[in-house]
């Protein structure tokens, strides 16, 4: 394990000279057991991002020299690294590494996320291994082969539960396959935006571009040999629960229009929230003679060079696409209905240094500590500051003191980026509090707005003619191409599939067009054996990686299937009281969070201002809530028997209050 790190000492030293100091320090403390070095370095680490340190060079050199010595000692002696590090020690190490106290309650989550204990504790194991016949008779259908679908497949495969994936596209990747607009990239750090059980040592950037992420997903599918379980190019149209035999009949269409149905015990939706583009009903749009396309359906056959391009929308997709095409087009008109908040991150455009890459690949635990650092940097830190303070005197523009400070800090940054251009500044600073809509990372957006060939158009679009966009004030903008960066139909979850549960009730009938609810975002009363990943109120808007949430959901779902198989249940259905109690808490919690702010419109909520998409919980809370499937919260059934309703009280309604939520 240590030989590869010390085989070439010059290479090791060269890498350490360039690699981040915090993960290096953590590895040193872990392997040496010497915590005094933490006290020396900690005062110079001011936050979890790598750029928030001011460790003097001589102290850095001391850490490097000692780490080289420790690694050589391990390699020479053949000693095993300490497998169990006491929680108190970990807390001290972690707190030093991110420059702030890491509360004790986070330690088990962080150990799990980083695999510091060298085990995959999110994997599910049999409790009472059923005979292979019982397992073999079971079947699950997973809809979608993106991040969530593949994660589910990996876990089911580990347990030997038979499954099949139905995927409408011709390859794996989901949203990362469909979104291929110029500049498409992740805005969550990649060493954390990746499966915890399949880290990638080779990310070229801190925030990688679409092709590299797609490559990672494809490589994961190959590594776990998943492609043979996937039917590509088939689109699920309906899933209907049959009370008689407690099975779902899943109907899909092949690319050549053939309809087929397969029966299954369980259906797991992994279709995501952002896969159906939203095209606003702008009058006259269909009359436009030039190309019109959505960012998620980018038309590569259209050459934008020298064209007058209109881009409608200023969300995450626009902020990545706009600056990427601006240098090539004759003119870019950006149509902004409401401005977004954008924050700067110095690592956003950077490549991972050769030293860091080498260290991740060769130094045991370096990558794990880096993942910890990034998890901390982008997780629950802002959660408390996103809640409205009822006594705050400026409730329109900010929520509380911390949120107001953030507002001022961002305005300060934007002012500098815009060279104090007061007209532009007035247009781009939102009137609502930071984090009301999704917080974006500045992809040189403001610099783009300063380009001579770019114009920011505010106000409302009245209609489109065959060659121009006409504003409500009568201004006419002649353009050649229209790019719709107008987002997705997020609240209309599972659409356009028709999902029919017990007594023929459809999910649309229960949820309406835009009011989805589920227990933990995963299960819905009346729809037995149906499980959702990335379902209602599970989007992350305060921080975190959606892959973390996916892994929480997949563990829970796998445990639920285990419960069914081990007990011979034909159905498992969440209790209505449990579901309703949970959703009441979700609504109460959301009501006080920034996304429900009356000055904000966004895809996080429905037209009645109910937050339907976004999770109100800290990552820690959701992790705890989904850690153990609780059978008492479900009605189980066996064919020919009355439903089994466990007598105990459901834990959730009582115990969410017990969690220190927020
Ligand atoms: P979005 O955030 O929903 O933004 C849609 C934009 O279109 C908004 O600016 C909206 O204005 C505007 N719009 C909608 N209808 C309009 C109309 N009739 N007239 C004028 N403007 C109109 O969509 P998105 O940018 O595609 O992002 C969606 C989500 O995808 C993100 O929040 C994120 O979760 C994900 N995403 C992630 C990344 C990443 O880096 N990881 C990149 C891209 C997308 P209003 O604000 O006024 O409604």
């Amino acid at each position: 394990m240590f030989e590869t790190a010390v085989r070439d000492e010059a290479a090791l030293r060269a890498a350490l000279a360039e690699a981040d100091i915090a993960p290096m320090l953590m590895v040193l403390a872990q392997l040496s057991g010497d915590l005094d070095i933490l006290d020396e370095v900690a005062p110079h680490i001011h936050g979890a991002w790598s750029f928030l340190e001011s460790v003097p060079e001589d102290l850095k050199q001391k850490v490097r020299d000692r780490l080289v010595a420790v690694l050589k000692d391990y390699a020479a002696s053949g000693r095993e690294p300490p497998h169990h590090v006491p929680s108190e020690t970990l807390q001290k190490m972690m707190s030093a590494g991110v420059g702030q106290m890491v509360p004790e309650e986070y330690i088990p989550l962080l150990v799990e996320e980083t695999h510091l204990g060298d085990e995959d504790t999110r994997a599910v194991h049999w409790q009472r291994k059923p005979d292979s016949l019982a397992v073999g008779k079971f079947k699950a259908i997973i809809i979608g082969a993106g991040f969530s679908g593949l994660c589910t497949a990996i876990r089911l495969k580990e347990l030997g539960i038979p499954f099949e994936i139905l995927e409408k596209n011709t390859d794996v990747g989901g949203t990362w396959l469909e979104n291929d607009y110029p500049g498409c990239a992740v805005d969550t750090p990649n060493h954390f935006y990746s499966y915890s059980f399949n880290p990638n040592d080779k990310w070229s950037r801190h925030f990688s571009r679409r092709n590299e992420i797609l490559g990672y997903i494809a490589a994961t599918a190959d590594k776990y040999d998943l492609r043979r379980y996937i039917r590509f190019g088939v689109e699920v149209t309906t899933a209907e629960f049959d009370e008689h035999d407690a099975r779902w009949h899943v109907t899909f269409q092949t690319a050549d229009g053939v309809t087929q149905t397969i029966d299954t015990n369980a259906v797991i939706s992994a279709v995501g929230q952002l896969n159906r583009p939203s095209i606003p009903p702008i009058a006259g749009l269909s009359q436009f003679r030039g190309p019109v396309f959505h960012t998620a359906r980018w038309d590569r056959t259209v050459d934008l060079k020298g064209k007058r391009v209109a881009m409608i929308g200023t969300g995450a997709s626009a902020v990545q696409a706009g600056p990427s095409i601006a240098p090539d087009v004759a003119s870019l008109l950006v149509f902004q209905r409401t401005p977004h908040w954008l924050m700067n991150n110095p690592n956003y455009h950077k490549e991972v240094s050769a030293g860091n890459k080498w260290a991740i690949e060769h130094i045991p635990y370096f990558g794990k500590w880096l993942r910890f650092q990034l998890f901390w940097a982008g997780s629950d830190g802002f959660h408390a500051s996103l809640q409205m303070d009822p006594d705050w005197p400026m409730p329109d523009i900010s929520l509380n003191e911390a949120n107001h400070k953030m507002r001022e800090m961002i305005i300060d940054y934007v002012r500098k980026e815009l060279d104090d251009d007061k007209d532009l500044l007035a247009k781009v600073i939102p009137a609502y509090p930071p984090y009301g809509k999704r917080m974006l990372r500045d992809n040189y957006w403001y610099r783009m707005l300063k380009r001579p060939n770019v114009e920011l158009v505010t106000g409302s679009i009245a209609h489109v003619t065959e060659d121009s966009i006409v504003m409500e004030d009568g201004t006419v903008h002649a353009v050649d191409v229209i790019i719709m960066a107008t987002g997705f139909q997020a609240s209309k979850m599972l659409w356009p599939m028709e999902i029919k549960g017990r007594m023929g009730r459809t999910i649309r009938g229960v949820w309406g067009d835009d009011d989805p609810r589920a227990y933990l975002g995963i299960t819905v009363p009346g729809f037995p054996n149906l499980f959702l990943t990335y379902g209602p109120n599970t989007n992350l808007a305060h921080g975190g990686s959606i892959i973390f949430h996916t892994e929480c959901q997949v563990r829970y779902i796998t445990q639920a299937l285990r419960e069914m198989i081990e007990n011979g249940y034909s159905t498992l259905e969440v209790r209505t009281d449990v579901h309703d109690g949970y959703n009441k808490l979700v609504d109460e919690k959301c009501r006080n969070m920034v996304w429900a702010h009356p000055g904000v419109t966004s895809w996080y909520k429905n037209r009645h201002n109910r937050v339907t998409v976004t999770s109100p919980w800290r990552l820690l809370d959701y992790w705890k809530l989904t850690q153990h499937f609780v059978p008492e919260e479900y009605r189980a059934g066996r064919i020919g028997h009355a439903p089994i309703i466990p007598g105990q009280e459901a834990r959730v309604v009582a115990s969410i209050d017990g969690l220190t939520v927020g």
Side-chain angles (χ1 to χ4, degrees), residues 176 181 185-187 274 280 282 295 312-318 320 335 337-338 340 437-438 461 485-488 539 601 603-604:
W176 289 108
Y181 56 81
V186 67
D187 63 6
L274 301 169
I282 300 173
T295 44
I312 302 178
T314 53
S317 303
Q320 291 184 334
F335 290 82
R337 187 165 64 180
T338 330
H340 282 60
K437 293 179 195 277
R438 190 175 190 273
I461 296 169
T486 43
F488 300 87
N539 182 57
T601 50
W603 63 275
Y604 291 167

mmCIF file of all heavy atoms in Angstrom, residues 176 181 185-187 274 280 282 295 312-318 320 335 337-338 340 437-438 461 485-488 539 601 603-604, ligand 1:
data_model
loop_
_atom_site.group_PDB
_atom_site.id
_atom_site.type_symbol
_atom_site.label_atom_id
_atom_site.label_comp_id
_atom_site.label_asym_id
_atom_site.label_seq_id
_atom_site.Cartn_x
_atom_site.Cartn_y
_atom_site.Cartn_z
ATOM 1 N N TRP A 176 -26.280 13.938 -17.999
ATOM 2 C CA TRP A 176 -24.949 14.267 -18.528
ATOM 3 C C TRP A 176 -24.790 13.822 -19.974
ATOM 4 O O TRP A 176 -23.898 14.271 -20.685
ATOM 5 C CB TRP A 176 -23.851 13.666 -17.646
ATOM 6 C CG TRP A 176 -23.772 14.390 -16.348
ATOM 7 C CD1 TRP A 176 -24.170 13.927 -15.127
ATOM 8 C CD2 TRP A 176 -23.323 15.737 -16.133
ATOM 9 N NE1 TRP A 176 -23.981 14.899 -14.160
ATOM 10 C CE2 TRP A 176 -23.467 16.009 -14.756
ATOM 11 C CE3 TRP A 176 -22.813 16.731 -16.968
ATOM 12 C CZ2 TRP A 176 -23.117 17.248 -14.194
ATOM 13 C CZ3 TRP A 176 -22.466 17.967 -16.409
ATOM 14 C CH2 TRP A 176 -22.621 18.211 -15.038
ATOM 15 N N TYR A 181 -24.396 21.215 -24.107
ATOM 16 C CA TYR A 181 -24.223 22.594 -24.579
ATOM 17 C C TYR A 181 -22.780 23.053 -24.334
ATOM 18 O O TYR A 181 -22.100 22.515 -23.443
ATOM 19 C CB TYR A 181 -25.241 23.523 -23.888
ATOM 20 C CG TYR A 181 -25.198 23.506 -22.375
ATOM 21 C CD1 TYR A 181 -24.251 24.236 -21.662
ATOM 22 C CD2 TYR A 181 -26.120 22.766 -21.647
ATOM 23 C CE1 TYR A 181 -24.218 24.228 -20.283
ATOM 24 C CE2 TYR A 181 -26.093 22.749 -20.261
ATOM 25 C CZ TYR A 181 -25.138 23.481 -19.585
ATOM 26 O OH TYR A 181 -25.092 23.458 -18.222
ATOM 27 N N ALA A 185 -20.684 21.807 -17.581
ATOM 28 C CA ALA A 185 -19.739 21.313 -16.575
ATOM 29 C C ALA A 185 -20.480 21.173 -15.258
ATOM 30 O O ALA A 185 -21.612 21.644 -15.117
ATOM 31 C CB ALA A 185 -18.589 22.302 -16.414
ATOM 32 N N VAL A 186 -19.826 20.539 -14.308
ATOM 33 C CA VAL A 186 -20.457 20.413 -12.992
ATOM 34 C C VAL A 186 -20.052 21.615 -12.156
ATOM 35 O O VAL A 186 -18.953 22.157 -12.333
ATOM 36 C CB VAL A 186 -20.048 19.083 -12.318
ATOM 37 C CG1 VAL A 186 -18.578 19.049 -11.955
ATOM 38 C CG2 VAL A 186 -20.903 18.808 -11.090
ATOM 39 N N ASP A 187 -20.946 22.065 -11.277
ATOM 40 C CA ASP A 187 -20.532 23.171 -10.412
ATOM 41 C C ASP A 187 -20.442 22.752 -8.948
ATOM 42 O O ASP A 187 -20.402 23.579 -8.054
ATOM 43 C CB ASP A 187 -21.389 24.428 -10.643
ATOM 44 C CG ASP A 187 -22.843 24.219 -10.289
ATOM 45 O OD1 ASP A 187 -23.177 23.149 -9.754
ATOM 46 O OD2 ASP A 187 -23.644 25.139 -10.539
ATOM 47 N N LEU A 274 -34.741 16.699 -13.749
ATOM 48 C CA LEU A 274 -34.444 17.716 -14.767
ATOM 49 C C LEU A 274 -34.267 17.087 -16.138
ATOM 50 O O LEU A 274 -33.268 17.300 -16.800
ATOM 51 C CB LEU A 274 -33.175 18.486 -14.356
ATOM 52 C CG LEU A 274 -33.246 19.189 -13.001
ATOM 53 C CD1 LEU A 274 -31.879 19.677 -12.561
ATOM 54 C CD2 LEU A 274 -34.221 20.341 -13.042
ATOM 55 N N PRO A 280 -41.218 27.840 -22.528
ATOM 56 C CA PRO A 280 -42.337 28.721 -22.167
ATOM 57 C C PRO A 280 -43.213 29.038 -23.381
ATOM 58 O O PRO A 280 -42.711 29.104 -24.513
ATOM 59 C CB PRO A 280 -41.653 29.974 -21.620
ATOM 60 C CG PRO A 280 -40.238 29.894 -22.034
ATOM 61 C CD PRO A 280 -39.914 28.463 -22.351
ATOM 62 N N ILE A 282 -44.197 31.262 -25.360
ATOM 63 C CA ILE A 282 -44.026 32.636 -25.854
ATOM 64 C C ILE A 282 -44.741 32.750 -27.199
ATOM 65 O O ILE A 282 -44.479 31.943 -28.107
ATOM 66 C CB ILE A 282 -42.528 32.986 -26.001
ATOM 67 C CG1 ILE A 282 -41.828 32.873 -24.639
ATOM 68 C CG2 ILE A 282 -42.339 34.380 -26.595
ATOM 69 C CD1 ILE A 282 -40.320 33.033 -24.686
ATOM 70 N N THR A 295 -31.224 24.374 -24.302
ATOM 71 C CA THR A 295 -29.840 24.035 -23.909
ATOM 72 C C THR A 295 -29.653 22.520 -23.739
ATOM 73 O O THR A 295 -28.580 21.992 -24.045
ATOM 74 C CB THR A 295 -29.451 24.728 -22.582
ATOM 75 O OG1 THR A 295 -30.531 24.597 -21.658
ATOM 76 C CG2 THR A 295 -29.102 26.175 -22.782
ATOM 77 N N ILE A 312 -32.481 33.024 -24.087
ATOM 78 C CA ILE A 312 -33.534 33.381 -23.122
ATOM 79 C C ILE A 312 -33.282 32.603 -21.840
ATOM 80 O O ILE A 312 -33.261 31.373 -21.841
ATOM 81 C CB ILE A 312 -34.934 33.064 -23.697
ATOM 82 C CG1 ILE A 312 -35.131 33.823 -25.014
ATOM 83 C CG2 ILE A 312 -36.019 33.405 -22.684
ATOM 84 C CD1 ILE A 312 -36.451 33.556 -25.708
ATOM 85 N N GLY A 313 -33.107 33.337 -20.732
ATOM 86 C CA GLY A 313 -32.861 32.682 -19.450
ATOM 87 C C GLY A 313 -31.453 32.957 -18.953
ATOM 88 O O GLY A 313 -30.510 33.113 -19.753
ATOM 89 N N THR A 314 -31.332 33.013 -17.635
ATOM 90 C CA THR A 314 -30.027 33.323 -17.023
ATOM 91 C C THR A 314 -29.743 32.394 -15.839
ATOM 92 O O THR A 314 -29.136 32.800 -14.854
ATOM 93 C CB THR A 314 -29.997 34.799 -16.550
ATOM 94 O OG1 THR A 314 -31.132 35.023 -15.703
ATOM 95 C CG2 THR A 314 -30.012 35.773 -17.692
ATOM 96 N N GLY A 315 -30.218 31.136 -15.927
ATOM 97 C CA GLY A 315 -29.967 30.164 -14.858
ATOM 98 C C GLY A 315 -28.634 29.454 -15.054
ATOM 99 O O GLY A 315 -27.765 29.900 -15.825
ATOM 100 N N ALA A 316 -28.482 28.298 -14.388
ATOM 101 C CA ALA A 316 -27.200 27.580 -14.379
ATOM 102 C C ALA A 316 -26.750 27.204 -15.794
ATOM 103 O O ALA A 316 -25.562 27.290 -16.118
ATOM 104 C CB ALA A 316 -27.318 26.322 -13.522
ATOM 105 N N SER A 317 -27.701 26.803 -16.648
ATOM 106 C CA SER A 317 -27.317 26.394 -18.009
ATOM 107 C C SER A 317 -26.842 27.605 -18.813
ATOM 108 O O SER A 317 -25.819 27.544 -19.509
ATOM 109 C CB SER A 317 -28.500 25.727 -18.729
ATOM 110 O OG SER A 317 -28.958 24.621 -17.997
ATOM 111 N N ALA A 318 -27.582 28.710 -18.710
ATOM 112 C CA ALA A 318 -27.222 29.923 -19.450
ATOM 113 C C ALA A 318 -25.853 30.431 -19.007
ATOM 114 O O ALA A 318 -25.031 30.850 -19.841
ATOM 115 C CB ALA A 318 -28.271 30.999 -19.216
ATOM 116 N N GLN A 320 -23.375 28.882 -17.991
ATOM 117 C CA GLN A 320 -22.263 28.109 -18.553
ATOM 118 C C GLN A 320 -22.193 28.258 -20.074
ATOM 119 O O GLN A 320 -21.105 28.370 -20.643
ATOM 120 C CB GLN A 320 -22.420 26.626 -18.175
ATOM 121 C CG GLN A 320 -22.207 26.398 -16.679
ATOM 122 C CD GLN A 320 -22.265 24.935 -16.275
ATOM 123 O OE1 GLN A 320 -22.911 24.125 -16.943
ATOM 124 N NE2 GLN A 320 -21.618 24.602 -15.180
ATOM 125 N N PHE A 335 -31.552 37.482 -22.628
ATOM 126 C CA PHE A 335 -32.850 37.939 -22.127
ATOM 127 C C PHE A 335 -33.015 37.484 -20.688
ATOM 128 O O PHE A 335 -33.178 36.301 -20.412
ATOM 129 C CB PHE A 335 -33.983 37.414 -23.015
ATOM 130 C CG PHE A 335 -33.992 38.068 -24.362
ATOM 131 C CD1 PHE A 335 -33.137 37.624 -25.365
ATOM 132 C CD2 PHE A 335 -34.817 39.152 -24.620
ATOM 133 C CE1 PHE A 335 -33.110 38.249 -26.607
ATOM 134 C CE2 PHE A 335 -34.806 39.779 -25.856
ATOM 135 C CZ PHE A 335 -33.938 39.330 -26.862
ATOM 136 N N ARG A 337 -35.133 37.610 -17.308
ATOM 137 C CA ARG A 337 -36.401 37.995 -16.680
ATOM 138 C C ARG A 337 -36.146 38.397 -15.226
ATOM 139 O O ARG A 337 -36.596 39.423 -14.769
ATOM 140 C CB ARG A 337 -37.399 36.829 -16.763
ATOM 141 C CG ARG A 337 -38.777 37.200 -16.300
ATOM 142 C CD ARG A 337 -39.801 36.185 -16.715
ATOM 143 N NE ARG A 337 -39.574 34.866 -16.104
ATOM 144 C CZ ARG A 337 -40.348 33.820 -16.326
ATOM 145 N NH1 ARG A 337 -41.389 33.916 -17.139
ATOM 146 N NH2 ARG A 337 -40.100 32.657 -15.741
ATOM 147 N N THR A 338 -35.390 37.532 -14.526
ATOM 148 C CA THR A 338 -35.013 37.835 -13.140
ATOM 149 C C THR A 338 -33.533 37.487 -12.986
ATOM 150 O O THR A 338 -33.119 36.423 -13.450
ATOM 151 C CB THR A 338 -35.782 36.925 -12.150
ATOM 152 O OG1 THR A 338 -37.043 36.585 -12.696
ATOM 153 C CG2 THR A 338 -35.932 37.554 -10.793
ATOM 154 N N HIS A 340 -30.026 36.151 -11.305
ATOM 155 C CA HIS A 340 -29.633 35.107 -10.347
ATOM 156 C C HIS A 340 -28.443 35.616 -9.532
ATOM 157 O O HIS A 340 -27.696 36.474 -9.977
ATOM 158 C CB HIS A 340 -29.195 33.842 -11.092
ATOM 159 C CG HIS A 340 -30.323 33.011 -11.613
ATOM 160 N ND1 HIS A 340 -31.237 33.476 -12.518
ATOM 161 C CD2 HIS A 340 -30.680 31.733 -11.346
ATOM 162 C CE1 HIS A 340 -32.113 32.516 -12.789
ATOM 163 N NE2 HIS A 340 -31.800 31.460 -12.094
ATOM 164 N N LYS A 437 -33.005 31.565 -5.419
ATOM 165 C CA LYS A 437 -32.907 30.633 -6.543
ATOM 166 C C LYS A 437 -31.580 29.910 -6.368
ATOM 167 O O LYS A 437 -30.774 30.294 -5.527
ATOM 168 C CB LYS A 437 -32.855 31.392 -7.870
ATOM 169 C CG LYS A 437 -34.112 32.138 -8.268
ATOM 170 C CD LYS A 437 -33.824 32.834 -9.592
ATOM 171 C CE LYS A 437 -34.835 33.897 -9.937
ATOM 172 N NZ LYS A 437 -36.039 33.405 -10.574
ATOM 173 N N ARG A 438 -31.338 28.939 -7.224
ATOM 174 C CA ARG A 438 -30.090 28.183 -7.093
ATOM 175 C C ARG A 438 -28.881 29.124 -7.148
ATOM 176 O O ARG A 438 -28.786 29.957 -8.051
ATOM 177 C CB ARG A 438 -29.969 27.170 -8.218
ATOM 178 C CG ARG A 438 -28.832 26.184 -8.033
ATOM 179 C CD ARG A 438 -28.905 25.173 -9.149
ATOM 180 N NE ARG A 438 -28.014 24.049 -8.953
ATOM 181 C CZ ARG A 438 -26.742 24.034 -9.339
ATOM 182 N NH1 ARG A 438 -26.214 25.097 -9.904
ATOM 183 N NH2 ARG A 438 -26.008 22.959 -9.156
ATOM 184 N N ILE A 461 -40.637 39.563 -22.495
ATOM 185 C CA ILE A 461 -40.786 39.323 -23.934
ATOM 186 C C ILE A 461 -42.285 39.324 -24.239
ATOM 187 O O ILE A 461 -43.071 38.650 -23.562
ATOM 188 C CB ILE A 461 -40.168 37.967 -24.317
ATOM 189 C CG1 ILE A 461 -38.659 37.992 -24.046
ATOM 190 C CG2 ILE A 461 -40.481 37.593 -25.757
ATOM 191 C CD1 ILE A 461 -37.974 36.636 -24.144
ATOM 192 N N ALA A 485 -32.695 28.803 -22.764
ATOM 193 C CA ALA A 485 -32.026 28.330 -21.534
ATOM 194 C C ALA A 485 -33.058 28.430 -20.414
ATOM 195 O O ALA A 485 -32.832 29.048 -19.380
ATOM 196 C CB ALA A 485 -30.797 29.182 -21.249
ATOM 197 N N THR A 486 -34.207 27.834 -20.677
ATOM 198 C CA THR A 486 -35.387 28.098 -19.854
ATOM 199 C C THR A 486 -35.720 26.989 -18.862
ATOM 200 O O THR A 486 -36.826 26.939 -18.321
ATOM 201 C CB THR A 486 -36.599 28.354 -20.776
ATOM 202 O OG1 THR A 486 -36.587 27.388 -21.837
ATOM 203 C CG2 THR A 486 -36.532 29.740 -21.393
ATOM 204 N N GLY A 487 -34.777 26.074 -18.619
ATOM 205 C CA GLY A 487 -34.948 25.129 -17.522
ATOM 206 C C GLY A 487 -35.840 23.938 -17.838
ATOM 207 O O GLY A 487 -36.082 23.594 -19.004
ATOM 208 N N PHE A 488 -36.336 23.328 -16.772
ATOM 209 C CA PHE A 488 -36.995 22.022 -16.882
ATOM 210 C C PHE A 488 -38.327 22.005 -16.117
ATOM 211 O O PHE A 488 -38.563 22.843 -15.247
ATOM 212 C CB PHE A 488 -36.065 20.935 -16.313
ATOM 213 C CG PHE A 488 -34.759 20.865 -17.049
ATOM 214 C CD1 PHE A 488 -33.681 21.692 -16.683
ATOM 215 C CD2 PHE A 488 -34.606 20.023 -18.132
ATOM 216 C CE1 PHE A 488 -32.479 21.649 -17.373
ATOM 217 C CE2 PHE A 488 -33.407 19.980 -18.836
ATOM 218 C CZ PHE A 488 -32.344 20.788 -18.462
ATOM 219 N N ASN A 539 -34.136 17.552 -3.809
ATOM 220 C CA ASN A 539 -33.088 18.318 -4.485
ATOM 221 C C ASN A 539 -32.284 19.076 -3.429
ATOM 222 O O ASN A 539 -32.818 19.453 -2.391
ATOM 223 C CB ASN A 539 -33.723 19.306 -5.460
ATOM 224 C CG ASN A 539 -32.678 20.085 -6.213
ATOM 225 O OD1 ASN A 539 -31.833 19.526 -6.874
ATOM 226 N ND2 ASN A 539 -32.717 21.404 -6.076
ATOM 227 N N THR A 601 -39.244 33.427 -7.552
ATOM 228 C CA THR A 601 -39.892 32.391 -8.369
ATOM 229 C C THR A 601 -38.770 31.476 -8.835
ATOM 230 O O THR A 601 -37.690 31.952 -9.174
ATOM 231 C CB THR A 601 -40.547 32.984 -9.634
ATOM 232 O OG1 THR A 601 -39.586 33.807 -10.283
ATOM 233 C CG2 THR A 601 -41.791 33.779 -9.318
ATOM 234 N N TRP A 603 -37.726 27.018 -10.047
ATOM 235 C CA TRP A 603 -38.174 25.645 -10.284
ATOM 236 C C TRP A 603 -38.227 24.832 -8.990
ATOM 237 O O TRP A 603 -38.632 23.685 -9.001
ATOM 238 C CB TRP A 603 -37.312 24.959 -11.330
ATOM 239 C CG TRP A 603 -35.859 24.778 -10.999
ATOM 240 C CD1 TRP A 603 -34.849 25.678 -11.182
ATOM 241 C CD2 TRP A 603 -35.237 23.611 -10.453
ATOM 242 N NE1 TRP A 603 -33.641 25.152 -10.789
ATOM 243 C CE2 TRP A 603 -33.854 23.874 -10.338
ATOM 244 C CE3 TRP A 603 -35.707 22.355 -10.051
ATOM 245 C CZ2 TRP A 603 -32.938 22.954 -9.834
ATOM 246 C CZ3 TRP A 603 -34.788 21.428 -9.556
ATOM 247 C CH2 TRP A 603 -33.427 21.728 -9.451
ATOM 248 N N TYR A 604 -37.847 25.445 -7.871
ATOM 249 C CA TYR A 604 -37.887 24.745 -6.594
ATOM 250 C C TYR A 604 -39.304 24.592 -6.048
ATOM 251 O O TYR A 604 -39.544 23.865 -5.111
ATOM 252 C CB TYR A 604 -37.091 25.512 -5.534
ATOM 253 C CG TYR A 604 -35.604 25.543 -5.740
ATOM 254 C CD1 TYR A 604 -34.819 26.430 -5.003
ATOM 255 C CD2 TYR A 604 -34.965 24.689 -6.629
ATOM 256 C CE1 TYR A 604 -33.436 26.464 -5.163
ATOM 257 C CE2 TYR A 604 -33.592 24.729 -6.798
ATOM 258 C CZ TYR A 604 -32.834 25.622 -6.067
ATOM 259 O OH TYR A 604 -31.472 25.654 -6.220
HETATM 260 P P1 LIG B 1 -33.431 27.424 -14.593
HETATM 261 O O1 LIG B 1 -32.506 27.592 -13.472
HETATM 262 O O2 LIG B 1 -34.817 27.010 -14.309
HETATM 263 O O3 LIG B 1 -33.424 28.784 -15.389
HETATM 264 C C1 LIG B 1 -34.361 29.031 -16.380
HETATM 265 C C2 LIG B 1 -34.192 30.458 -16.836
HETATM 266 O O4 LIG B 1 -35.118 30.705 -17.871
HETATM 267 C C3 LIG B 1 -34.478 31.475 -15.752
HETATM 268 O O5 LIG B 1 -33.571 32.518 -15.854
HETATM 269 C C4 LIG B 1 -35.894 31.910 -16.060
HETATM 270 O O6 LIG B 1 -36.221 33.183 -15.594
HETATM 271 C C5 LIG B 1 -35.844 31.908 -17.565
HETATM 272 N N1 LIG B 1 -37.163 31.854 -18.170
HETATM 273 C C6 LIG B 1 -38.073 30.849 -18.074
HETATM 274 N N2 LIG B 1 -39.174 31.190 -18.756
HETATM 275 C C7 LIG B 1 -38.946 32.432 -19.279
HETATM 276 C C8 LIG B 1 -39.709 33.315 -20.073
HETATM 277 N N3 LIG B 1 -40.946 33.008 -20.453
HETATM 278 N N4 LIG B 1 -39.167 34.491 -20.404
HETATM 279 C C9 LIG B 1 -37.922 34.825 -20.013
HETATM 280 N N5 LIG B 1 -37.157 34.028 -19.265
HETATM 281 C C10 LIG B 1 -37.669 32.847 -18.904
HETATM 282 O O7 LIG B 1 -32.868 26.368 -15.680
HETATM 283 P P2 LIG B 1 -31.369 25.892 -15.957
HETATM 284 O O8 LIG B 1 -30.467 27.045 -16.103
HETATM 285 O O9 LIG B 1 -31.433 24.908 -17.060
HETATM 286 O O10 LIG B 1 -30.980 25.155 -14.632
HETATM 287 C C11 LIG B 1 -31.856 24.193 -14.050
HETATM 288 C C12 LIG B 1 -31.104 23.397 -13.044
HETATM 289 O O11 LIG B 1 -30.297 22.434 -13.712
HETATM 290 C C13 LIG B 1 -30.130 24.178 -12.206
HETATM 291 O O12 LIG B 1 -30.707 24.916 -11.185
HETATM 292 C C14 LIG B 1 -29.241 23.055 -11.722
HETATM 293 O O13 LIG B 1 -29.795 22.359 -10.649
HETATM 294 C C15 LIG B 1 -29.164 22.169 -12.938
HETATM 295 N N6 LIG B 1 -27.955 22.524 -13.692
HETATM 296 C C16 LIG B 1 -26.764 22.259 -13.097
HETATM 297 C C17 LIG B 1 -25.608 22.618 -13.699
HETATM 298 C C18 LIG B 1 -24.309 22.335 -13.011
HETATM 299 O O14 LIG B 1 -23.382 23.038 -13.169
HETATM 300 N N7 LIG B 1 -24.195 21.312 -12.203
HETATM 301 C C19 LIG B 1 -25.623 23.238 -14.930
HETATM 302 C C20 LIG B 1 -26.843 23.486 -15.541
HETATM 303 C C21 LIG B 1 -28.009 23.133 -14.911
HETATM 304 P P3 LIG B 1 -36.824 33.400 -14.116
HETATM 305 O O15 LIG B 1 -35.666 33.182 -13.203
HETATM 306 O O16 LIG B 1 -37.340 34.752 -14.109
HETATM 307 O O17 LIG B 1 -37.877 32.332 -13.939
#
